[in-house]
């Protein structure tokens, strides 16, 4: 579902950065003609967003993301290192500063009532990221751990308050933050946002019917001519529906096999010829 044009009023509001503290909401209706059975995943997709730019990829501090007390002024986070008064940013860098911050809720129209689809916001990141690459500073509470720091300029709330419903999903170990920090190699990409909780009417997945996305629109894309999507998908034993990796493996394997045959043929042909050297 592309909601770039359907939320055009909010998009125009976000073009002016002075409106950062003004809330804007929009709704997108759609219909599922068939049931989506099994585990259902919700992704947000961005188009024309070049996360693979060299300076953008380098604009982070991995030591800071491990919860260490480091001098980020000497890091590659510039210009998103500190404010003019010297207060360091937590987290620093362009990647963190541009974190996707739209809020997307899904509602199901069942008979004459509207039911909010339960979505899981944790358990979506890789285990190695959650337990190895990202850690919070050690302190008796998270707000004191980040004392003396400030949120990045494009953020609406500090890093220790990203999830007001789950204290364990705050700081550098927040799932949404971790997933965003894993940059994409292409300008068009999707990131896992939520998983449908398989309870009540959704125990088998998403039933066919009428649905509505309620979106709190915060992430501007018009300046770089981007587009935003919400994707509902499921996976099978062989993986997801994106064919890129499968095609890449088949092409690479075929090229390697053909190269092997060519080299073998050249070797067998030259082996039959004997070369004599004379003094």
């Amino acid at each position: 579902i592309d909601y770039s044009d359907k939320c055009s009023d909010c998009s125009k509001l976000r073009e002016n950065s002075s409106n950062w503290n003004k809330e804007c909401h929009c709704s997108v209706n759609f219909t599922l003609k068939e049931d989506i059975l099994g585990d259902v995943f919700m992704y947000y997709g961005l188009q024309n967003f070049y996360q693979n730019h060299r300076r953008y990829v380098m604009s982070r501090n991995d030591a800071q993301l491990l919860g260490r007390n480091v001098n980020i002024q000497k890091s590659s986070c510039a210009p998103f290192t500190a404010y003019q008064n010297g207060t360091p940013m937590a987290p620093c860098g362009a990647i963190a500063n541009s974190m996707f911050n739209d809020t997307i809720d899904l509602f199901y129209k069942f008979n004459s009532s509207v039911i909010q689809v339960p979505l899981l916001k944790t358990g979506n990141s890789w285990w190695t990221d959650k337990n190895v690459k990202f850690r919070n500073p050690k302190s008796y509470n998270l707000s004191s751990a980040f004392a003396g720091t400030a949120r990045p300029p494009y953020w609406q709330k500090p890093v220790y308050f990203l999830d007001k419903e789950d204290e364990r999903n705050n700081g550098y170990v927040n799932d949404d933050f971790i997933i965003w920090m894993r940059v994409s190699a292409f300008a068009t990409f999707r990131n896992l946002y939520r998983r449908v909780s398989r309870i009540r009417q959704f125990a088998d997945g998403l039933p066919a019917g009428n649905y509505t996305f309620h979106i709190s629109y915060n992430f501007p894309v018009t300046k770089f001519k981007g587009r935003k999507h919400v994707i509902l998908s499921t996976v099978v034993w062989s993986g997801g529906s994106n064919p890129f990796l499968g095609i890449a493996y088949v092409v690479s394997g075929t090229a390697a096999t053909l190269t092997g045959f060519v080299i073998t043929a050249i070797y067998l042909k030259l082996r039959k010829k004997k070369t004599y050297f004379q003094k």
Side-chain angles (χ1 to χ4, degrees):
I1 307 295
D2 188 326
Y3 65 95
S4 305
D5 296 331
K6 297 178 180 179
C7 297
S8 57
D9 292 339
C10 292
S11 179
K12 292 178 181 178
L13 180 71
R14 291 288 174 252
E15 288 181 1
N16 188 347
S17 59
S18 62
N19 296 326
W20 68 271
N21 59 344
K22 296 180 180 179
E23 294 186 358
C24 191
H25 303 272
C26 58
S27 298
V28 179
N29 299 319
F30 67 99
T31 301
L32 287 181
K33 297 181 179 179
E34 298 179 358
D35 297 343
I36 301 182
L37 301 177
D39 294 327
V40 181
F41 301 88
M42 179 190 294
Y43 301 82
Y44 62 84
L46 290 176
Q47 184 177 336
N48 208 37
F49 190 100
Y50 287 84
Q51 280 192 317
N52 55 4
H53 191 281
R54 180 181 61 86
R55 293 187 62 187
Y56 182 89
V57 172
M58 295 175 58
S59 188
R60 60 186 292 161
N61 189 299
D62 290 319
Q64 183 196 45
L65 299 176
L66 282 171
R68 300 172 183 171
N69 187 13
V70 294
N71 183 9
I72 61 173
Q73 296 284 3
K74 299 180 180 180
S75 68
S76 56
C77 286
F80 301 104
T81 53
Y83 289 91
Q84 293 182 352
N85 60 2
T87 304
M89 298 179 189
C92 71
I95 306 176
N97 184 55
S98 60
M99 177 180 168
F100 183 85
N101 59 347
D102 282 0
T103 302
I104 307 171
D105 294 314
L106 181 60
F107 291 85
Y108 172 51
K109 297 178 181 178
F110 181 70
N111 295 331
S112 58
S113 60
V114 177
I115 303 172
Q116 184 170 3
V117 179
L119 302 175
L120 301 173
K121 62 176 70 174
T122 57
N124 299 324
S125 58
W126 295 352
W127 185 92
T128 51
D129 286 342
K130 192 84 170 181
N131 296 276
V132 179
K133 296 183 180 180
F134 294 83
R135 294 177 183 173
N136 285 325
K138 294 182 179 180
S139 181
Y140 64 93
N141 64 53
L142 208 54
S143 59
S144 63
F146 288 97
T149 65
R151 58 177 174 81
Y154 289 174
W155 284 29
Q156 296 177 332
K157 46 191 174 183
V159 65
Y160 55 83
F161 202 57
L162 290 177
D163 189 349
K164 59 183 179 181
E165 299 176 356
D166 188 353
E167 294 182 356
R168 297 171 298 177
N169 192 36
N170 276 313
Y172 297 147
V173 296
N174 175 266
D175 273 51
D176 292 337
F177 174 71
I178 290 174
I179 291 173
W180 177 259
M181 294 299 290
R182 192 189 312 129
V183 296
S184 172
F186 301 98
T188 299
F189 61 93
R190 65 176 64 177
N191 282 338
L192 181 59
Y193 181 66
R194 296 289 184 266
R195 290 176 294 125
V196 174
S197 179
R198 299 181 64 175
I199 58 175
R200 300 191 298 273
Q201 294 93 336
F202 313 100
D204 297 326
L206 287 181
N210 297 320
Y211 290 83
T212 301
F213 282 126
H214 285 186
I215 300 167
S216 177
Y217 196 107
N218 298 304
F219 194 84
V221 295
T222 53
K223 292 293 184 180
F224 56 88
K225 299 180 181 178
R227 311 284 299 181
K228 292 194 290 187
H229 306 79
V230 186
I231 301 101
L232 293 174
S233 179
T234 186
V235 295
V236 294
W237 65 270
S238 58
S241 60
N242 192 336
F244 173 77
L245 280 179
I247 295 174
Y249 290 154
V250 170
V251 172
S252 301
T254 303
T257 303
L258 291 176
T259 303
F261 281 125
V262 171
I263 294 176
T264 301
I266 294 174
Y267 168 75
L268 294 175
K269 183 177 181 180
L270 296 179
R271 188 180 62 173
K272 297 178 181 179
K273 295 182 179 181
K274 295 183 179 180
T275 304
Y276 299 92
F277 295 93
Q278 296 178 354
K279 293 184 179 179

